[in-house]
Amino acid sequence: MNIQDQLAKKICSELNLDEEQYEIIRYGAFAIMQISLCIIAVAVFGLLFGVMLQALIVSFSTSILRQYSGGAHASRPGSCAVIGTAVSIGLALFVKYIGNFMNVNTMLIVESISFLIAFYIINKYAPVDSKAKPIKSEAKRKKMRKRSFLIATSYLVLSIVFLLLYQYTKNVNFYIFILDISGGMLFQIFSLTIIGRSVLAKIDQGLTRIMYRG
């Protein structure tokens, strides 16, 4: 019996809960453990590569938007953690590198294009459900799309705040944070598209063969 099963059984035993409530608690415990594992992995590898804060910003930008927009999902928790960590670290390193060659005007152009693409893809595809969790209600679909727009808009507002802070302090970190937010957002947007889902599915299949063979 794994940890989430043991925890769910203990809670249900203490509170005298039924089987349906056990499944809810079990899933909640699994989700918390999965999220914690991903955060720890991103933080550890981010620290090793010198981009911990930037990688966490990328990771949270991706995962928060994913809650309502859906998108491609890994078939195994381990594969999900590997893909999430690799993407977060990779994007953080890439942003740190290209940030050295971008001025404010170039960054504004890149950001404008990024958010236009994001709003377009959200409007066209979000939310993207899965076979395991199909969205059967049109009302729920509209609600999730609306919340996806709100989250993307909040990223835009936060980026503007960081831009003002950069202009006031000339602290290059604020400049990099803006690119981290859009990088995480764009990866999540990519996972909504047909091409993105196909690419991530192939990566997931490859990781599954490597990590879970035998």
Side-chain angles (χ1 to χ4, degrees):
M1 184 180 294
N2 53 39
I3 297 175
Q4 65 263 22
D5 288 337
Q6 293 176 1
L7 181 61
K9 281 188 174 296
K10 183 172 181 60
I11 293 174
C12 288
S13 176
E14 293 290 335
L15 300 178
N16 194 28
L17 301 178
D18 58 26
E19 185 67 22
E20 182 178 351
Q21 291 168 316
Y22 162 77
E23 289 298 330
I24 294 173
I25 293 174
R26 180 181 177 278
Y27 179 79
F30 171 78
I32 291 172
M33 290 175 60
Q34 177 69 13
I35 291 170
S36 300
L37 173 63
C38 291
I39 292 174
I40 292 171
V42 170
V44 169
F45 283 96
L47 186 63
L48 290 175
F49 285 94
V51 289
M52 184 177 72
L53 182 55
Q54 295 94 322
L56 287 171
I57 292 174
V58 172
S59 179
F60 282 116
S61 298
T62 301
S63 58
I64 293 172
L65 182 55
R66 178 180 292 271
Q67 294 300 311
Y68 296 103
S69 63
H73 290 275
S75 58
R76 301 287 189 99
S79 299
C80 179
V82 170
I83 293 171
T85 302
V87 168
S88 298
I89 302 301
L91 282 175
L93 288 170
F94 177 70
V95 164
K96 185 177 181 180
Y97 174 76
I98 66 170
N100 295 321
F101 303 98
M102 295 177 66
N103 56 35
V104 174
N105 290 332
T106 304
M107 189 266 290
L108 287 174
I109 293 172
V110 170
E111 289 297 300
S112 298
I113 294 173
S114 296
F115 279 99
L116 285 173
I117 292 172
F119 286 125
Y120 173 77
I121 297 297
I122 288 172
N123 184 62
K124 185 173 182 178
Y125 292 109
V128 175
D129 57 6
S130 63
K131 292 181 180 179
K133 292 183 179 180
I135 303 172
K136 299 179 180 180
S137 168
E138 185 59 29
K140 183 177 181 181
R141 185 174 293 278
K142 289 180 179 179
K143 183 178 181 180
M144 292 178 71
R145 182 182 292 114
K146 182 179 179 180
R147 290 191 176 181
S148 297
F149 273 116
L150 288 174
I151 292 170
T153 301
S154 71
Y155 290 169
L156 176 59
V157 172
L158 186 57
S159 295
I160 293 172
V161 171
F162 282 146
L163 177 62
L164 293 174
L165 288 171
Y166 170 74
Q167 295 283 56
Y168 180 73
T169 65
K170 299 303 178 183
N171 186 333
V172 72
N173 286 325
F174 292 120
Y175 185 92
I176 297 298
F177 293 162
I178 295 171
L179 297 172
D180 288 327
I181 291 171
S182 61
M185 177 185 68
L186 287 176
F187 175 74
Q188 171 55 23
I189 293 303
F190 175 68
S191 77
L192 302 180
T193 65
I194 296 172
I195 295 175
R197 280 176 274 167
S198 176
V199 169
L200 291 172
K202 290 179 180 178
I203 293 173
D204 176 51
Q205 290 170 6
L207 284 173
T208 299
R209 285 195 294 269
I210 294 170
M211 296 173 64
Y212 300 99
R213 60 183 176 182

